[in-house]
Amino acid sequence: MPGVKHGGDIYSIAREYGFKPEDILDFSGNINPLGMPESVKRAIIENLDILSKYPDPEYLDLRQAIYKYSGVRPENIIVGNGGTELISLFFKILNPRSGLILMPTYSEYEREIMINGGRYEYYRLKEERDFVPEVDDIINCIAGHDLLVVCNPNNPTGQAIYTDDMIKILAKAKKCGCFVFVDETYVEFVEDIDSVSAARLVNEFDNLFIIRGISKFFGTPGLRIGYGLTSNKEIMEKMLFIKDPWTVSSIAQVAGQAVFGDIEYQERSKKLIREEREYISKEMSRFTNIKAYNTTANFFLCKILDNHSASALREHLLRYAMDVRDASNFPYLSDAFFRFCILDREDNEKLIKLLNVFFN
């Protein structure tokens, strides 16, 4: 049975269209256009000999680096082989009977609930509200579920639930015996991270589990480092008990320590994303046949307003070795929806130009 398809699969595209993977302009992967930080490259080169040793099974230095970066204490941090491993571990341990998932969103959440024998329901984010979450309505739907799943900012809509509202959600969920899983994969792209991230709420709410990684913001999906944040000791102990040892390699551990301390890279990334988000918003507003939704993240969800389709658009762009995400396989989205991420100015201009060619 084939797996779920995601963005960023440049290898399949290269094989099908005869391109080299490195020649494809990937607007589907949502990865920081600055790529891997130089600090990470140096850390890898200078520590190659560490590959002859097993990693520290407790990842103390890496968790300490994450603590300095996130403000969450090391004992409340678990690291894994990308966020995917930790998502799987958490759902296996929690074993929810009934999950409520804000949709449209990333497909792995429902898959994990189903694998573990639970059922799930969708909470539909309304297109007529530009997919902006209705927090009071979400709160009213929590009762009867033992898990609420929130991607924040949400993929593919780019909308976010702000921290003050997340407090209300967590408080209600606590009363209902409901755990809240928050995927903050894209939170570093938000202009003001403290206004959206729930990291500072970890100590206050023990029914909260946050997942993050370094793939998107730090441009290193190949390193496979994810981390989870929770003050729930029972959940943490059970996850550590069943987690396979050494799933984060020695070299990835060293690279992770470097990336979290690279303040210059973080500031440069935020500046680039802010400027390009403004540029793309302005350019997309010129189209009469595309609606680009407001976003807090590093990608734009768009709806085609004429008789073109997202699949036809993607095929058109692939001829020029450029890929966007056909968003029609997200629940509640049709073949009129596509998503693309922010790259650098030169590449963003190329995309805008080809969109003009296709639509006009």
Side-chain angles (χ1 to χ4, degrees):
M1 179 178 176
V4 177
K5 290 186 177 181
H6 304 294
D9 185 5
I10 59 174
Y11 303 101
S12 294
I13 294 168
R15 286 190 292 268
E16 182 175 352
Y17 289 86
F19 300 127
K20 294 179 181 179
E22 60 270 23
D23 291 337
I24 297 170
L25 266 182
D26 185 14
F27 282 90
S28 72
N30 297 346
I31 297 168
N32 189 333
L34 291 181
M36 184 186 298
E38 291 299 320
S39 59
V40 172
K41 295 178 183 179
R42 289 194 301 271
I44 291 173
I45 292 170
E46 294 170 3
N47 290 277
L48 283 176
D49 288 343
I50 203 170
L51 288 171
S52 63
K53 302 176 183 178
Y54 280 103
D56 172 8
E58 297 184 14
Y59 300 105
L60 292 177
D61 290 339
L62 179 56
R63 287 192 291 126
Q64 185 68 23
I66 295 170
Y67 159 59
K68 291 179 180 178
Y69 176 73
S70 69
V72 177
R73 294 195 296 264
E75 62 268 25
N76 294 333
I77 298 170
I78 182 172
V79 299
N81 186 255
T84 306
E85 181 193 14
L86 297 177
I87 291 172
S88 181
L89 278 173
F90 172 77
F91 279 77
K92 185 179 293 185
I93 290 300
L94 190 69
N95 193 21
R97 300 182 308 279
S98 176
L100 181 64
I101 309 173
L102 273 57
M103 279 288 185
T105 196
Y106 185 53
S107 59
E108 291 295 333
Y109 316 131
E110 59 193 88
R111 176 177 174 271
E112 288 297 335
I113 292 174
M114 190 168 54
I115 285 173
N116 289 288
R119 64 180 182 87
Y120 58 86
E121 294 179 12
Y122 293 156
Y123 175 91
R124 184 172 185 170
L125 298 168
K126 297 179 178 64
E127 181 184 341
E128 57 268 27
R129 285 179 49 88
D130 291 349
F131 303 104
V132 176
E134 297 177 82
V135 173
D136 290 339
D137 191 46
I138 293 169
I139 288 172
N140 291 333
C141 296
I142 291 174
H145 300 283
D146 51 0
L147 175 66
L148 174 65
V149 178
V150 181
C151 184
N152 200 38
N154 187 40
N155 171 26
T157 66
Q159 302 290 357
I161 294 175
Y162 291 87
T163 310
D164 290 345
D165 285 328
M166 189 64 75
I167 291 172
K168 298 176 186 177
I169 291 173
L170 285 162
K172 175 65 174 181
K174 181 76 172 175
K175 291 180 181 178
C176 296
C178 179
F179 221 100
V180 181
F181 173 90
V182 182
D183 187 337
E184 291 193 348
T185 294
Y186 298 101
V187 78
E188 283 103 339
F189 293 107
V190 175
E191 182 69 22
D192 178 11
I193 185 173
D194 291 331
S195 69
V196 172
S197 176
R200 64 181 176 88
L201 306 179
V202 166
N203 289 332
E204 186 177 348
F205 294 95
D206 66 355
N207 63 324
L208 170 65
F209 186 88
I210 300 171
I211 194 80
R212 286 187 183 177
I214 69 169
S215 296
K216 305 298 186 180
F217 183 74
F218 291 104
T220 54
L223 277 174
R224 310 307 307 139
I225 296 178
Y227 60 102
L229 309 173
T230 186
S231 62
N232 190 299
K233 292 183 179 180
E234 182 180 2
I235 291 290
M236 180 68 78
E237 288 173 0
K238 288 181 177 179
M239 288 182 69
L240 290 171
F241 180 76
I242 69 167
K243 183 180 180 295
D244 291 333
W246 304 309
T247 57
V248 178
S249 71
S250 300
I251 206 69
Q253 183 176 357
V254 167
Q257 291 166 220
V259 81
F260 289 116
D262 194 336
I263 305 302
E264 188 273 335
Y265 176 89
Q266 295 165 32
E267 291 178 348
R268 194 155 52 96
S269 298
K270 286 182 176 292
K271 181 176 183 292
L272 182 147
I273 296 300
R274 179 177 62 252
E275 291 175 351
E276 294 308 301
R277 187 162 48 212
E278 292 174 357
Y279 164 74
I280 292 172
S281 293
K282 182 179 178 180
E283 291 299 313
M284 294 303 296
S285 70
R286 304 180 194 276
F287 286 86
T288 58
N289 40 12
I290 305 176
K291 177 175 181 175
Y293 294 89
N294 290 331
T295 183
T296 61
N298 66 321
F299 52 81
F300 286 82
L301 178 67
C302 299
K303 184 178 183 181
I304 299 170
L305 303 178
D306 60 18
N307 59 356
H308 290 91
S309 68
S311 55
L313 170 63
R314 183 168 183 260
E315 283 297 321
H316 169 75
L317 295 174
L318 284 171
R319 297 175 199 161
Y320 299 90
M322 183 182 294
D323 191 27
V324 297
R325 176 70 187 272
D326 176 352
S328 60
N329 65 341
F330 286 95
Y332 305 126
L333 299 186
S334 68
D335 194 33
F337 287 90
F338 66 97
R339 187 200 70 197
F340 66 90
C341 65
I342 296 169
L343 298 184
D344 62 26
R345 178 61 59 90
E346 180 181 355
D347 292 338
N348 294 333
E349 288 176 344
K350 290 178 183 176
L351 175 62
I352 298 297
K353 181 179 179 180
L354 286 176
L355 288 176
N356 271 301
V357 169
F358 181 78
F359 285 102
N360 298 323

